[in-house]
Amino acid sequence: MQDDIVIGLEIHVQLSTKTKIFCNCSTDYIDQEPNTNTCPVCLGLPGGLPVLNKKAVELAIRTAIALNCRINSTSIFHRKNYFYPDLPKAFQISQYDLPLAEEGFMELIVGKSKKNSKIRITRAHMEEDAGKLVHIEEKGQIVDSLVDYNRSCVPLLEIVTEPDIRSSEEAIVFLQNLRSIVQYLGVCDGNLECGSMRCDANISIRDSKSHQLGTKTEVKNMNSFRAIKRALDYEICRQRKLIEDGEKVSQETRRWDEANNQTVTMRSKEEAHDYRYFPEPDLLPLKIKDSWVNEIKDSLPELPVDRKERFTRDFGLSDYDASRLVEIKSLGDYFEEAARDYKDYKKLTNWILSELLRYLGEEGTEISSSPISAESLAELLHLIDRKVISGKIAKTIFEKMFKTGQSATDLVQKSGLTQISDKEEIDIIIEKVIEDNIQSVQDYRSGKEKAVNFLVGQVMRHTKGRAQPDLVLNLLKEKMNKLEN
Ligand code: ADP
Ligand code: MG
Ligand code: ZN
């Protein structure tokens, strides 16, 4: 059977406010003593009353506008009731049938085929995060479970897509774009590993000819793009196999098991919660004036799509190069800074996307703390263009710059690695190489053109790579052709 993959995503984005969504406690929960950033409201003590954080609403609206959503002039907070030790009130304040924002979309360009697709956003609603359970393990056994409420009441925006995504690759591109958008907006750091952005994926397979959706499973617990991709691919395979074997996919929530590279059942449909939603009586309906929405709209920064367009237009970069540069805001900033000093934009891009990213990746360093500044990289590239150093030596210098933080000019002077473009100096070396390699010279003269490559190599070895290969080649040929028989 010809089948379609159907994917819909639910993404939690942690809004980067200083204080929590319904109280004045700090939102800093990483590296803090457990339960220090708490108060009666976020501990769910009797009598604690929630007060909505205006900044959280503003950040949520910023995001919703960037996702082309309609902002509802009235939205309602609901109680979502369930019991779990990390949820002290035994309900989560969330939004239900009247969310903050609805009916948006994101446009994507996917893969080598550059397929354009439009993923509809169903809704974006605000809610509070829960606390965190910390399990103490001994010899692989959980011996104790502790709870830390520092994260309780941290503001989240949940973004839900329509089931419009057609491949795991498309899902990843969607998420990478979303991460760029929230980073550019400054509403979230978009860190999947630390959980400030979390994604649950809903997947089903259907007969291409059918208009009905197949039964879906929901997969949770992936904390990197790589894990999401693998979990989706695993689930697609698993469901296809069930269908091929004439079995049914059962509707359930599954967990990605990173260690064993598979998804495993968490709970089936029968065990699904009945959340008994009802309006939160301690919060008024949230009214948002058009004038505020317009004000926020006017204050939005340049978004990744617009920046990408500007990069292709103003710097003549390919779509691919431009998208890679703008995906991470600070990388785009770095490029723009270097581009002020250095105008061969394609060459600059290549050095950033290959050398710089490779070294940063190996060291696990962020671009914002790169030991080689944008200005410094531009200086190195100028040295190559002025033929002070060869491209090959520039890579060695680059490595030294990365390790020591010194400038290219300083390192080149200290190391004596400047390129030899003095013809006389090279002449002397060539004479010696010819003398030492009579056989190769004869080979060349009897018509074996390739023998010259070996001789060039010898000259390069004697100069430690500091001669210009083109110059060496020409001089060598000239000399050998002049030799007497
Ligand atoms: P639930 O009530 O199970 O949470 P929703 O209708 O709220 O389901 O949808 C949750 C997410 O699952 C949305 O992102 C939606 O696009 C996606 N989804 C719904 N049905 C399917 C399906 N058959 N296959 C894949 N994704 C689906
Ligand atoms: Mg749902
Ligand atoms: Zn609090």
Side-chain angles (χ1 to χ4, degrees):
M1 139 188 132
Q2 180 73 17
D3 67 16
D4 284 340
I5 295 165
V6 176
I7 299 172
L9 302 174
E10 296 166 280
I11 305 107
H12 285 90
V13 166
Q14 188 186 304
L15 300 170
S16 54
T17 52
K18 288 204 181 67
T19 57
K20 295 183 177 180
I21 186 170
F22 300 125
C23 64
N24 259 330
C25 295
S26 161
T27 49
D28 182 9
Y29 62 86
I30 291 171
D31 300 329
Q32 290 293 311
E33 276 291 296
N35 300 305
T36 47
N37 287 334
T38 54
C39 74
V41 175
C42 55
L43 287 174
L45 300 183
L49 287 174
V51 177
L52 182 59
N53 180 338
K54 187 174 177 189
K55 189 74 192 175
V57 180
E58 184 195 320
L59 298 186
I61 294 176
R62 277 169 87 83
T63 315
I65 293 173
L67 295 174
N68 306 296
C69 290
R70 176 187 81 233
I71 311 294
N72 288 326
S73 53
T74 302
S75 64
I76 308 276
F77 285 98
H78 270 72
R79 289 188 181 183
K80 179 180 180 179
N81 299 279
Y82 65 93
F83 175 77
Y84 203 66
D86 65 8
L87 191 71
K89 298 191 291 286
F91 61 82
Q92 177 194 29
I93 303 180
S94 180
Q95 294 190 306
Y96 183 51
D97 50 3
L98 245 185
L100 177 81
E102 291 177 273
E103 294 181 353
F105 63 88
M106 188 201 284
E107 283 173 319
L108 303 180
I109 301 173
V110 184
K112 290 202 187 77
S113 59
K114 303 209 170 133
K115 178 175 157 265
N116 275 293
S117 44
K118 186 168 176 173
I119 310 300
R120 288 169 300 159
I121 311 281
T122 316
R123 54 191 272 138
H125 70 250
M126 300 183 70
E127 61 187 27
E128 59 180 339
D129 208 344
K132 230 178 176 166
L133 287 185
V134 182
H135 301 292
I136 310 291
E137 277 185 39
E138 268 172 30
K139 296 182 194 129
Q141 293 280 318
I142 296 178
V143 292
D144 220 339
S145 290
L146 308 168
V147 66
D148 175 8
Y149 290 117
N150 282 343
R151 201 181 65 183
S152 167
C153 248
V154 164
L156 300 176
L157 184 69
E158 179 172 341
I159 298 161
V160 182
T161 79
E162 290 291 308
D164 287 349
I165 298 169
R166 290 291 169 269
S167 67
S168 58
E169 190 191 11
E170 195 168 79
I172 299 300
V173 175
F174 175 89
L175 290 167
Q176 282 170 338
N177 280 14
L178 180 63
R179 183 179 65 170
S180 296
I181 290 172
V182 297
Q183 285 175 342
Y184 272 72
L185 291 172
V187 302
C188 174
D189 63 15
N191 191 328
L192 277 79
E193 282 76 15
C194 299
S196 54
M197 193 169 137
R198 283 166 255 163
C199 172
D200 300 338
N202 300 270
I203 310 135
S204 66
I205 304 283
R206 71 163 172 204
D207 188 328
S208 296
K209 290 188 218 86
S210 157
H211 292 287
Q212 270 183 350
L213 294 180
T215 306
K216 72 173 164 88
T217 57
E218 180 179 1
V219 187
K220 295 174 173 290
N221 195 43
M222 297 83 79
N223 65 359
S224 64
F225 286 128
R226 186 164 160 265
I228 296 169
K229 176 88 172 53
R230 291 164 89 184
L232 285 169
D233 288 338
Y234 179 90
E235 200 49 29
I236 291 164
C237 266
R238 192 188 67 87
Q239 291 189 15
R240 272 192 175 141
K241 182 148 194 328
L242 282 173
I243 294 168
E244 263 166 34
D245 294 352
E247 290 175 52
K248 283 215 161 74
V249 174
S250 48
Q251 187 176 334
E252 59 185 3
T253 304
R254 299 175 71 86
R255 180 174 60 81
W256 173 244
D257 177 354
E258 178 82 34
N260 297 306
N261 247 313
Q262 59 179 5
T263 65
V264 291
T265 303
M266 247 173 99
R267 54 175 181 263
S268 68
K269 192 183 179 186
E270 289 74 46
E271 298 162 78
H273 293 118
D274 170 7
Y275 293 117
R276 293 159 18 251
Y277 279 100
F278 64 88
E280 165 61 62
D282 291 333
L283 286 168
L284 290 168
L286 174 57
K287 302 257 186 200
I288 293 164
K289 288 203 184 101
D290 280 353
S291 57
W292 194 31
V293 175
N294 289 332
E295 217 175 280
I296 296 173
K297 218 178 248 169
D298 291 340
S299 74
L300 288 194
E302 182 183 41
L303 290 171
V305 264
D306 304 318
R307 194 182 207 191
K308 189 188 106 188
E309 230 186 85
R310 183 164 62 79
F311 275 20
T312 52
R313 194 183 57 231
D314 293 0
F315 300 114
L317 300 179
S318 70
D319 242 24
Y320 175 79
D321 283 348
S323 354
R324 286 199 61 201
L325 285 175
V326 306
E327 191 192 324
I328 296 171
K329 183 173 180 299
S330 45
L331 191 66
D333 294 346
Y334 186 99
F335 171 82
E336 287 203 75
E337 207 185 320
R340 274 198 285 276
D341 291 342
Y342 187 75
K343 306 293 173 192
D344 184 343
Y345 304 124
K346 176 65 190 160
K347 191 169 186 179
L348 174 61
T349 303
N350 288 345
W351 275 81
I352 293 177
L353 295 181
S354 55
E355 298 305 300
L356 185 64
L357 285 191
R358 181 157 58 82
Y359 280 97
L360 290 172
E362 277 166 12
E363 299 294 317
T365 311
E366 297 285 328
I367 178 84
S368 50
S369 24
S370 165
I372 301 181
S373 68
E375 211 187 337
S376 224
L377 177 60
E379 184 187 317
L380 174 72
L381 300 186
H382 277 302
L383 290 178
I384 306 175
D385 289 359
R386 294 196 346 248
K387 298 211 183 320
V388 178
I389 51 172
S390 66
K392 196 169 161 220
I393 291 203
K395 297 210 166 149
T396 324
I397 297 283
F398 185 93
E399 185 179 356
K400 287 193 179 136
M401 288 165 73
F402 196 91
K403 289 199 171 126
T404 64
Q406 285 177 282
S407 81
T409 310
D410 282 355
L411 284 166
V412 166
Q413 269 165 9
K414 259 186 237 160
S415 62
L417 285 175
T418 47
Q419 189 154 304
I420 309 171
S421 36
D422 179 355
K423 189 167 163 296
E424 275 168 34
E425 200 177 329
I426 295 177
D427 267 345
I428 297 170
I429 297 166
I430 288 181
E431 299 279 356
K432 181 161 168 35
V433 166
I434 287 181
E435 234 177 78
D436 292 351
N437 298 282
I438 299 294
Q439 186 57 48
S440 299
V441 175
Q442 275 169 3
D443 287 351
Y444 172 76
R445 285 166 55 81
S446 62
K448 285 189 195 155
E449 274 277 336
K450 278 192 183 149
V452 77
N453 295 340
F454 169 76
L455 296 167
V456 172
Q458 289 302 303
V459 176
M460 296 308 284
R461 198 167 65 91
H462 280 288
T463 59
K464 300 202 170 60
R466 290 166 52 230
Q468 287 178 36
D470 293 354
L471 182 63
V472 171
L473 181 69
N474 289 337
L475 288 175
L476 257 172
K477 283 186 176 171
E478 199 180 297
K479 275 217 159 52
M480 289 194 291
N481 292 336
K482 271 195 222 147
L483 284 180
E484 282 175 20
N485 286 318

